[in-house]
Amino acid sequence: MTHSMRRTAIRGTLTAFVLVGSALGTLGTLTAGQQLAGIFTADQAAAGRQVYAASCAGCHLPDLRGRNEAPQLAGNNFMNTWRSRTAKDLFEYIQSTMPPTGANLGEAQYLAVTTFILQANGAAPGAQAFTGSSTATIGSIATGTAPAAGAAAPVGGGRQQGAPAGTPGGRGGAPGGPLGVTIAGEVKNFVPVTDEMLRNQDPGDWLMARRSYTGWSHSPLTQITRDNVRELQLVWVSPMNEGQGNEPSPLVHNGVIYLNNTMNIVQALDARTGEIIWENHVGPNAQIGIAAMRNLAIYQDKVFVATTDARLVALDARTGKLAWDTPIADRAKGYANTAGPMVMHGVVVNGLVGCDRYGNDGCWISGYDPATGKQLWKFNTIARTGQPGAETWGKLADNLRVGGETWIAGSYDPDLDLTYWGTAQAKPWMRASRGTTAFDNVLYTSSTLAIRPKDGTLAWHYQHAPGESLDLDEVFERVLVDIGDQKVVFTIGKPGILWKLDRRDGKFLGYKETVFQNVFESINPKSGSPTYRTDIIEQETNKWVQACPSTEGGHNWQAMSYNAPAGALIIPLSQSCMEMSGRKIEFANGSGGTAADRRFFEMPGSDGNVGKLAAYDVKTMKELWSREQRAPFLTGVITTASNVGFVGDLDRTFRAFDTRTGETLWQTRLATTVQGYPVTFSVGGRQYVAVTTGASSGGSPRVVPRTIIPEMRQPQTGNAIYVFALPEKAR
């Protein structure tokens, strides 16, 4: 299909076309003397401040500076976007799209928070209450500079807030609640986890993200089979802390589940009954950004957790008591965590997110001593002056080189002693906004990095998308497979392209397009180097560019599985498209961010089916089977040695399927969206399957379906862990 034909095809499918982000207006300048009289009251703005603290600050931050997909709401970048639009436009936009969790506020609250944002941008209150009907342009009532009283000062005293109060099992957990061990207990007969145990796990355990260093998300257990899986029944369910970002990957060791909840709460539970053994509110008890906490690590006698405010914490695995607490990065500069740590070569290795603001310290992957928490090394994923790859950022000053986050924990080859991590794109999302050219590759973004975990040195890198420019990064899981004598690392990112590399040296071996994409006109079959469409290369700010897939990604954080018996990768995929427009931003410290607006629509040829589950042969990369459905899949996939796989979706369905055909073998409907990373384990000879539900979450995998599948609504509470098994008689 030619470029022009592709554009026509896309424009013909705008059946569900929703704007996310504000439309851009023309720029202008007003002095304070030109401002119109106040269109809201001081009481409204004060009330709006409280609404903002409760419902907005978790994503846009207490000082309104924004992070990741949540834009800045005060200052020059906000005014660049909204100056020529009206107060009515701002109110209607906030009312129709915020909060992104879908939990609507009352009209009075929407009116109030609109006035708080106006006041934070220098608009003065008056005697008349704001009703939402004012057609005054924002540039005529606001200057972009907060008044002397400091309307844009951090809300809530600078403390991260904005989450609904939630409590595991009805205990504590609200913002500002007690920290430390809140339920005291002890794991009996605890067995320390050794390097050998991590490398060669007991079949009944699940000791790390995606279960193994290879990242297979595959279990050798065989008790649950294609013939008996229809007899699965719920054994127990335990409520989890409410709030967005419930995407955990539980650990299981010797009959104990270690589980991370939202707001930095960690629990140990009896895997047979769900009874809580101990619970620690590590803190902060607050939503920060998208607030996801995806995995824990266990090693020797400690459980390791990366908190959402960019700390690495070690807890005693027996009692949950604090062993040590180490800062990874300065939270005041916007840093955070989503992925958790991995223990490799006796080193705790962790990534970092929240690296999108100008003037920060860059982004990095770092290693720590498991006994003390001392940092052992740090590898910078953003090349700055004097570092290898610095020239790939062109003329950008060091303080303007940001991005390169690591949202997902890496994989590890103990024989090669190399760990493999994916990196996110440069920020802002679009090249036109960040000021780089089509010739700037911006290392080490959108790459696979092979790092030596003993000292943090780089063995090799492969950049999948040089200068990536549409938030279609390659940051997700790396899966290690041996095909004969060939040692391979597979990965798939938002463009939906399955990449195959030699994990010894990073040599490109092949690729497979798994969903429709029109970002790359071609991909070199020998080098894997992509060629972008001309209009993407020639992009300008304030101009829309179409792309398939959307920022939901052909693939996102929901991990694939390698089903060893079939020699196949089984991948959860998504099918949606978008238009993106980059904003003009201020090149100053504290600015930056994602700086783009998006509008989403259905993918051509999908027939409205956003979800796709498909299997690919690891030798040939040929698609073996695929299953499509309206609801996207919102868990990782796991498979077992008996050719039974498990996956969950947005529409609350958790299902077992035949890994050879994709046929559904069993399914059940849970209280809310099935979200996170399922695991399977055994205790006392009985195999169990555990999965979590997440009532809400930030990020494109939830935002995009909300706009193009508006009829599919989910309850706004219901975070929990569910555990299933065969009845005793069926075993």
Side-chain angles (χ1 to χ4, degrees):
M1 182 182 289
T2 66
H3 170 52
S4 60
M5 290 174 62
R6 286 175 180 167
R7 290 178 63 86
T8 301
I10 292 173
R11 289 195 181 278
T13 61
L14 304 187
T15 57
F17 198 68
V18 182
L19 177 66
V20 175
S22 53
L24 292 159
T26 58
L27 304 182
T29 302
L30 287 172
T31 66
Q34 293 175 287
Q35 287 182 262
L36 298 178
I39 63 168
F40 58 89
T41 67
D43 286 345
Q44 274 187 307
R49 183 186 186 89
Q50 299 306 313
V51 175
Y52 183 88
S55 300
C56 311
C59 293
H60 294 274
L61 300 186
D63 59 4
L64 288 79
R65 68 183 178 180
R67 67 174 301 274
N68 195 40
E69 297 186 18
Q72 182 178 347
L73 296 181
N76 289 341
N77 291 337
F78 174 84
M79 294 300 291
N80 285 345
T81 301
W82 284 93
R83 182 176 281 111
S84 65
R85 303 195 68 197
T86 69
K88 179 176 183 286
D89 292 335
L90 179 62
F91 163 69
E92 291 179 346
Y93 170 69
I94 294 172
Q95 186 179 43
S96 64
T97 63
M98 296 290 124
T101 59
N104 291 333
L105 307 175
E107 181 172 351
Q109 291 176 298
Y110 282 116
L111 290 168
V113 79
T114 302
T115 66
F116 169 68
I117 292 171
L118 291 173
Q119 186 183 60
N121 284 278
Q128 184 175 356
F130 179 59
T131 64
S133 60
S134 173
T135 57
T137 63
I138 290 173
S140 70
I141 60 176
T143 62
T145 302
V155 297
R159 181 185 180 89
Q160 282 286 0
Q161 300 187 37
T167 61
R171 301 170 301 277
L179 299 179
V181 174
T182 55
I183 297 179
E186 184 174 353
V187 174
K188 305 300 183 183
N189 304 313
F190 178 80
V191 178
V193 176
T194 65
D195 289 287
E196 177 59 26
M197 291 165 66
L198 290 176
R199 190 167 177 173
N200 297 292
Q201 291 188 43
D202 182 291
D205 280 354
W206 194 287
L207 295 181
M208 66 185 73
R210 306 186 298 278
R211 190 178 185 275
S212 64
Y213 280 140
T214 53
W216 286 7
S217 299
H218 178 80
S219 169
L221 298 178
T222 59
Q223 188 177 96
I224 298 171
T225 68
R226 189 184 190 284
D227 296 328
N228 64 23
V229 67
R230 64 184 179 278
E231 299 181 54
L232 277 181
Q233 62 183 24
L234 181 65
V235 177
W236 58 264
V237 58
S238 181
M240 297 178 65
N241 197 59
E242 295 292 355
Q244 72 176 42
N246 200 45
E247 302 167 8
S249 175
L251 301 182
V252 187
H253 175 47
N254 200 24
V256 175
I257 294 177
Y258 295 93
L259 179 67
N260 49 329
N261 287 243
T262 60
M263 298 191 206
N264 304 290
I265 297 171
V266 182
Q267 299 169 319
L269 302 90
D270 186 314
R272 292 167 295 185
T273 66
E275 291 297 317
I276 297 176
I277 301 170
W278 58 253
E279 176 179 282
N280 190 318
H281 289 223
V282 177
N285 280 353
Q287 301 275 184
I288 297 177
I290 67 169
M293 297 177 63
R294 293 186 173 127
N295 68 276
L296 304 168
I298 187 168
Y299 182 62
Q300 297 173 346
D301 61 350
K302 296 180 180 66
V303 172
F304 304 93
V305 54
T307 65
T308 56
D309 64 341
R311 293 151 45 228
L312 186 63
V313 174
L315 304 178
D316 186 311
R318 295 180 178 87
T319 65
K321 294 179 179 178
L322 180 69
W324 50 257
D325 188 334
T326 296
I328 298 173
D330 184 354
R331 172 64 197 137
K333 296 181 179 180
Y335 290 111
N337 274 308
T338 56
M342 297 284 283
V343 180
M344 310 164 176
H345 197 89
V347 177
V348 186
V349 183
N350 203 86
L352 191 62
V353 304
C355 313
D356 59 343
R357 290 291 160 187
Y358 292 154
N360 65 27
D361 302 317
C363 213
W364 59 84
I365 301 166
S366 44
Y368 300 84
D369 184 320
T372 66
K374 178 184 177 182
Q375 186 181 94
L376 303 175
W377 54 261
K378 184 170 82 171
F379 176 83
N380 294 311
T381 63
I382 297 296
R384 292 183 166 180
T385 301
Q387 299 172 355
E391 72 284 353
T392 65
W393 285 81
K395 297 180 180 179
L396 276 189
D398 282 350
N399 68 313
L400 304 180
R401 301 182 182 190
V402 295
E405 295 89 346
T406 46
W407 298 92
I408 303 296
S411 302
Y412 178 50
D413 184 331
D415 295 327
L416 296 177
D417 197 22
L418 292 177
T419 178
Y420 305 89
W421 293 69
T423 56
Q425 73 290 88
K427 304 296 187 307
W429 281 339
M430 298 194 78
R431 183 187 301 117
S433 296
R434 65 178 177 253
T436 53
T437 74
F439 302 101
D440 297 329
N441 292 347
V442 294
L443 287 173
Y444 293 93
T445 63
S446 290
S447 298
T448 294
L449 306 180
I451 295 172
R452 300 177 183 93
K454 60 184 177 182
D455 59 12
T457 56
L458 183 69
W460 57 260
H461 76 276
Y462 180 89
Q463 192 169 41
H464 302 274
E468 196 286 313
S469 194
L470 292 166
D471 186 29
L472 298 177
D473 48 328
E474 304 281 351
V475 72
F476 308 111
E477 73 276 11
R478 268 56 185 167
V479 177
L480 315 183
V481 178
D482 290 344
I483 306 173
D485 294 333
Q486 194 174 57
K487 292 184 177 294
V488 174
V489 52
F490 287 97
T491 191
I492 178 171
K494 287 189 179 181
I497 296 170
L498 180 64
W499 302 96
K500 184 178 186 180
L501 306 176
D502 189 313
R503 69 175 184 266
R504 293 167 295 192
D505 57 14
K507 179 182 178 183
F508 171 78
L509 299 175
Y511 75 96
K512 172 70 176 179
E513 296 186 21
T514 63
V515 297
F516 172 71
Q517 73 84 20
N518 66 354
V519 174
F520 304 134
E521 287 284 11
S522 63
I523 298 175
N524 188 303
K526 293 184 178 180
S527 67
S529 178
T531 299
Y532 290 89
R533 284 195 341 242
T534 301
D535 61 325
I536 295 176
I537 294 174
E538 298 176 352
Q539 65 186 246
E540 301 177 32
T541 56
N542 303 358
K543 291 189 177 180
W544 293 99
V545 175
Q546 292 182 337
C548 293
S550 77
T551 55
E552 178 186 23
H555 180 70
N556 208 293
W557 59 263
Q558 307 95 305
M560 61 179 149
S561 174
Y562 175 55
N563 185 40
L569 296 167
I570 301 177
I571 310 175
L573 303 163
S574 296
Q575 302 180 125
S576 62
C577 299
M578 69 175 178
E579 287 191 325
M580 180 177 283
S581 174
R583 305 182 192 125
K584 182 179 180 180
I585 63 167
E586 182 181 25
F587 291 103
N589 290 348
S591 183
T594 54
D597 302 313
R598 298 163 294 163
R599 47 197 189 194
F600 304 115
F601 53 95
E602 293 179 357
M603 180 174 282
S606 68
D607 196 28
N609 290 314
V610 179
K612 177 179 177 181
L613 187 67
Y616 298 87
D617 185 283
V618 293
K619 294 180 181 178
T620 65
M621 302 185 80
K622 177 183 177 182
E623 185 176 280
L624 301 175
W625 55 259
S626 70
R627 301 276 175 165
E628 296 187 6
Q629 63 178 42
R630 181 75 166 149
F633 297 100
L634 276 181
T635 72
V637 174
I638 64 168
T639 60
T640 66
S642 55
N643 285 309
V644 176
F646 295 90
V647 68
D649 67 32
L650 176 69
D651 202 28
R652 303 163 45 201
T653 300
F654 184 51
R655 61 169 47 83
F657 63 92
D658 189 320
T659 60
R660 297 165 297 185
T661 65
E663 175 191 358
T664 296
L665 304 174
W666 166 89
Q667 65 182 41
T668 187
R669 200 97 183 276
L670 303 182
T672 191
T673 297
V674 189
Q675 179 174 280
Y677 297 85
V679 300
T680 184
F681 57 92
S682 65
V683 183
R686 190 182 191 189
Q687 183 180 353
Y688 299 81
V689 179
V691 70
T692 55
T693 51
S696 60
S697 181
S700 292
R702 292 297 293 261
V703 171
V704 177
R706 191 172 296 119
T707 62
I708 65 175
I709 318 176
E711 78 279 6
M712 196 170 292
R713 298 181 179 275
Q714 297 77 37
Q716 292 304 305
T717 58
N719 289 1
I721 180 170
Y722 293 79
V723 175
F724 301 88
L726 298 173
E728 292 290 338
K729 65 180 179 61
R731 295 196 290 119

